[in-house]
Amino acid sequence: MNMPTKTDDINTPDDAALARMTENMAKVEALGARLTQIMVGREGHQSSLDAPNQELFSKAAQAYWAEAVHNPAKLIENQVSFWSKSVTHFVEAQQALAKGKLQAPEDKTAKDRRFANPLWETHPYFNFVKRQYMINSEALSEAVNSVSDLEPREKQRLGYFSRQIIDMMSPTNFLATNPDALERAVATEGESLIKGLENLISDLEANNGEMIVRLADEKAFELGRNIATAPGKVVFRNRMFELIQYSPSTEKVHATPVVIFPPWINKFYILDLKEQNSLVKWIVDQGHTLFIVSWVNPDSSYRDVGMGDYIEDGFLTAIEEVKKITDQPQVNAVGYCIAGTTLSLTLSLLKQRGDTSVKSATLFTALTDFSDQGEFQPFLTDDFIDGIEAETKDKGILPSIIMARTFSFLRSNDLVYGPAIKSYMLGDTPPAFDLLYWNGDGANLPERMAMEYLRGLCQQNKLAEGGFDLLGHHLELGDIDVPICAVGCETDHIAPWKDSYRGVQMMGSKDKTFIMTQSGHIAGIVNPPSKGKYGHYTNPDMSLAHEDWLEGAEFHQGSWWPRWGKWLANHAGAQVDARIPGANGREILCDAPGTYVTRKANG
């Protein structure tokens, strides 16, 4: 009888498990070869869209060394601090190992959800790697902050790209320094790595070789079945959009119909994800005849479509069709994000034409004053916009994957690296999450429209500063005189509420309401009363600067929807019999959510 040795107590793989792992590693190598083929044949994009030009880093280096010459003590202090922390860290790790125990020294670093695995604190190897990363990150951030001889916008841009480097170099992003991934690989005998590579290859194939991490399980959703399910009919279609009229849920409705213009950067069904949080259903339940525009997902044949086409063949055509269908002289219009910006242009145009088709306008997270470009500033400099211009000239469109990648890297740990680790290292299937499914269902932008918007509105801020020339008119915010209700979101990083507020201040309307809701660009808008989650602020005095407006604002618990609902009802007219789609003889083209919404950006 053989006595067990000490090593028999260690949980090590047996020969059969090692054989299976070897077999799986061979599969990994085969998948690696397939991955190489994809990358070799990838379509690619303008390299200038990947990083700033060298001028930014050259200026930063010059400013850094100029600072060192004029204030060498500061540079020495930062360097000595970095050296001291690194050496102290090394000594502490050595002392812990010298005690003969496989343990890390006491770890007093701040909590970070990326390092949730206990091994980051207890295992000397992983703890050393983590703590040195934190020291390096702090040193790089301090170096950037110490640069003083740079334009504010250049320093903001330098700060953004340095944070991208810091986030990218996190040890959690590499297999050899990620204990979660290593433990999963051993526990599954390498199967997790195979699934991870399969997930990576699938994402690359879906995006023509571009690495866009799939955030949701696309197989879990089907438009019209378990997402975008509000009943309605497509009652009009042209080259720009399908018009959906929703079926009423009340016997009586307000006379004046409501038409929503969603952003064409994404799909309209963010407002109809599911019954519990559907703004579409809620508006219908309040007794309104509701229409929504479902924009076409353009391909290269739309390269010459500009902002003017979106207004003439989109906004104005939709408004006229809604008026015809309902036999009403006016509509209440809603614009979300870029569609709110364009609705503002449309209102100025209608004023100059003497057209009173719009009775009131509601703007969701809409920018009309782009003087403060916020977190998008790093992407609105000439080198990046020049790259976009070259990309659109080459392809006829600004591909949705370029925009998706840009938006994602504003929250890189949450929307890029975290999901990539779960999908590619751990081999997990993305979650069945409707919001993330919508987030990944992007749309392209036509070449002309994209450049008019980026150059004329975002970069040059023409609408707020002197006026924007379009369709033979000089459009200005002061022209807008219809009742306005604008909704901004407190933590919106795409359309900061203070900038939305400032643009509304410039409008000529005497009847203005501004609501600031808690949360961000999506969750702040899609906030049904049933959740009781986010509150909102109001202040009738819109003559104040934004900080003073907020200081004097009243906070209200719960969703802003009912407050807006009362405002909308005041502009919606008397009660009439509910309107059934097609009842007036209008041809029904298909059921909601229509056909345009199903077109994939890369399909």
Side-chain angles (χ1 to χ4, degrees):
M1 179 177 180
N2 295 325
M3 296 296 292
T5 64
K6 186 175 182 180
T7 55
D8 290 331
D9 295 330
I10 299 175
N11 185 20
T12 56
D14 58 23
D15 291 342
L18 286 173
R20 288 192 295 271
M21 185 174 290
T22 301
E23 182 182 343
N24 282 334
M25 289 303 100
K27 293 180 181 178
V28 168
E29 290 184 12
L31 286 169
R34 183 179 162 197
L35 177 61
T36 301
Q37 290 180 339
I38 294 173
M39 299 311 293
V40 169
R42 68 193 292 261
E43 186 174 324
H45 59 262
Q46 299 293 318
S47 59
S48 56
L49 298 179
D50 292 328
N53 59 24
Q54 291 302 311
E55 183 180 359
L56 174 66
F57 296 116
S58 297
K59 287 182 178 179
Q62 291 172 6
Y64 184 78
W65 289 114
E67 184 77 18
V69 170
H70 294 294
N71 190 4
K74 185 177 180 181
L75 174 63
I76 292 172
E77 180 183 355
N78 291 341
Q79 286 297 311
V80 169
S81 175
F82 172 67
W83 295 341
S84 175
K85 290 177 181 178
S86 297
V87 172
T88 300
H89 174 214
F90 176 75
V91 170
E92 289 177 349
Q94 290 291 91
Q95 288 176 338
L97 290 174
K99 294 178 180 179
K101 296 181 180 180
L102 191 68
Q103 65 182 30
E106 183 182 3
D107 189 347
K108 296 181 180 179
T109 54
K111 296 296 181 182
D112 187 318
R113 61 182 178 179
R114 290 176 295 177
F115 305 109
N117 190 310
L119 288 176
W120 288 114
E121 293 188 12
T122 62
H123 194 285
Y125 167 70
F126 293 113
N127 181 260
F128 184 86
V129 169
K130 181 198 82 168
R131 291 176 66 183
Q132 190 60 46
Y133 166 74
M134 304 287 257
I135 292 171
N136 296 345
S137 301
E138 181 184 16
L140 181 55
S141 297
E142 287 180 355
V144 171
N145 291 334
S146 68
V147 175
S148 57
D149 191 21
L150 272 181
E151 292 285 336
R153 291 194 171 191
E154 288 180 333
K155 186 166 183 178
Q156 180 187 359
R157 200 167 187 230
L158 179 65
Y160 168 81
F161 285 108
S162 66
R163 286 193 300 274
Q164 294 305 314
I165 294 172
I166 290 171
D167 291 345
M168 181 179 65
M169 296 308 296
S170 170
T172 53
N173 297 335
F174 302 92
L175 177 63
T177 51
N178 187 318
D180 292 305
L182 291 171
E183 287 180 325
R184 178 72 64 84
V186 172
T188 62
E189 298 166 351
E191 188 67 29
S192 60
L193 298 180
I194 295 174
K195 290 181 178 178
L197 269 178
E198 288 173 344
N199 289 342
L200 173 60
I201 290 170
S202 176
D203 287 356
L204 289 170
E205 289 176 338
N207 294 292
N208 297 321
E210 299 281 359
M211 200 186 95
I212 304 295
V213 186
R214 197 187 311 268
L215 299 178
D217 182 4
E218 295 181 359
K219 297 178 182 178
F221 298 100
E222 181 182 347
L223 292 171
R225 181 180 63 83
N226 60 357
I227 195 170
T229 58
K233 307 290 183 181
V234 174
V235 293
F236 177 82
R237 180 187 295 129
N238 66 8
R239 67 172 185 148
M240 297 299 296
F241 69 94
E242 289 182 330
L243 183 66
I244 300 171
Q245 180 182 354
Y246 288 96
S247 302
S249 61
T250 57
E251 293 184 1
K252 296 288 184 178
V253 295
H254 290 280
T256 305
V258 177
V259 56
I260 296 179
F261 296 95
W264 50 91
I265 293 174
N266 295 100
K267 306 291 183 65
F268 80 87
Y269 62 88
I270 184 59
L271 301 176
D272 185 33
L273 286 177
K274 52 190 174 186
E275 188 172 319
Q276 298 93 317
N277 63 359
S278 171
L279 181 60
V280 166
K281 181 181 184 302
W282 186 86
I283 293 173
V284 171
D285 288 345
Q286 306 313 301
H288 294 280
T289 304
L290 177 64
F291 296 81
I292 201 165
V293 164
S294 175
W295 298 103
V296 72
N297 196 345
D299 56 24
S300 60
S301 67
Y302 282 74
R303 69 166 58 242
D304 294 324
V305 169
M307 294 290 293
D309 298 287
Y310 274 89
I311 291 176
E312 287 281 18
D313 297 338
F315 285 74
L316 297 182
T317 298
I319 289 169
E320 285 304 310
E321 291 300 322
V322 171
K323 286 164 56 180
K324 291 176 185 176
I325 291 170
T326 60
D327 194 26
Q328 289 292 311
Q330 292 182 305
V331 305
N332 289 314
V334 180
Y336 192 173
C337 191
I338 189 175
T341 306
T342 311
L343 177 58
S344 300
L345 293 168
T346 304
L347 294 174
S348 174
L349 179 66
L350 290 175
K351 173 66 175 178
Q352 294 185 29
R353 289 180 175 179
D355 189 328
T356 59
S357 293
V358 175
K359 190 174 184 179
S360 78
T362 300
L363 307 175
F364 294 164
T365 65
L367 292 178
T368 50
D369 179 1
F370 293 82
S371 56
D372 183 354
Q373 297 164 346
E375 293 189 46
F376 272 96
Q377 190 274 329
F379 304 106
L380 293 176
T381 51
D382 280 336
D383 59 342
F384 196 79
I385 301 300
D386 289 347
I388 289 179
E389 187 167 22
E391 183 77 5
T392 58
K393 283 184 177 179
D394 178 45
K395 295 183 170 65
I397 54 172
L398 177 58
S400 69
I401 54 177
I402 299 296
M403 292 180 286
R405 191 180 61 166
T406 301
F407 285 121
S408 294
F409 274 99
L410 291 174
R411 297 289 182 272
S412 57
N413 284 325
D414 293 331
L415 297 177
V416 180
Y417 300 120
I421 290 167
K422 292 178 181 178
S423 183
Y424 306 152
M425 288 192 192
L426 301 178
D428 290 341
T429 299
F433 188 9
D434 54 1
L435 178 60
L436 293 179
Y437 173 82
W438 167 85
N439 188 71
D441 189 15
N444 306 317
L445 299 183
E447 174 191 348
R448 182 179 175 186
M449 173 266 137
M451 298 317 301
E452 287 176 337
Y453 177 72
L454 292 171
R455 295 284 194 201
L457 292 173
C458 296
Q459 271 197 315
Q460 300 168 16
N461 197 28
K462 287 184 177 180
L463 180 58
E465 298 177 3
F468 188 71
D469 292 327
L470 198 66
L471 297 171
H473 289 262
H474 189 67
L475 308 178
E476 298 185 10
L477 292 175
D479 292 332
I480 300 172
D481 60 359
V482 302
I484 294 288
C485 181
V487 183
C489 299
E490 186 174 22
T491 58
D492 192 339
H493 64 284
I494 295 174
W497 78 266
K498 61 184 178 63
D499 302 325
S500 297
Y501 173 82
R502 190 171 57 248
V504 175
Q505 281 184 307
M506 298 181 191
M507 296 177 182
S509 307
K510 294 180 179 179
D511 180 355
K512 297 180 190 176
T513 298
F514 191 86
I515 301 170
M516 188 190 77
T517 177
Q518 293 180 313
S519 196
H521 194 72
I522 300 301
I525 297 301
V526 184
N527 180 30
S530 59
K531 283 189 175 181
K533 195 169 184 181
Y534 301 118
H536 59 282
Y537 298 84
T538 59
N539 186 340
D541 188 356
M542 290 196 63
S543 66
L544 302 171
H546 75 271
E547 57 269 14
D548 297 323
W549 181 92
L550 182 57
E551 179 68 25
E554 181 180 0
F555 178 74
H556 309 273
Q557 294 286 350
S559 172
W560 58 271
W561 289 10
R563 184 173 303 279
W564 175 61
K566 292 178 181 177
W567 182 91
L568 186 62
N570 289 335
H571 298 88
Q575 296 283 304
V576 299
D577 290 338
R579 304 175 176 109
I580 309 298
N584 64 344
R586 169 68 62 136
E587 180 185 2
I588 300 300
L589 302 180
C590 64
D591 290 333
T595 61
Y596 280 4
V597 73
T598 63
R599 296 186 184 181
K600 297 296 183 181
N602 302 309

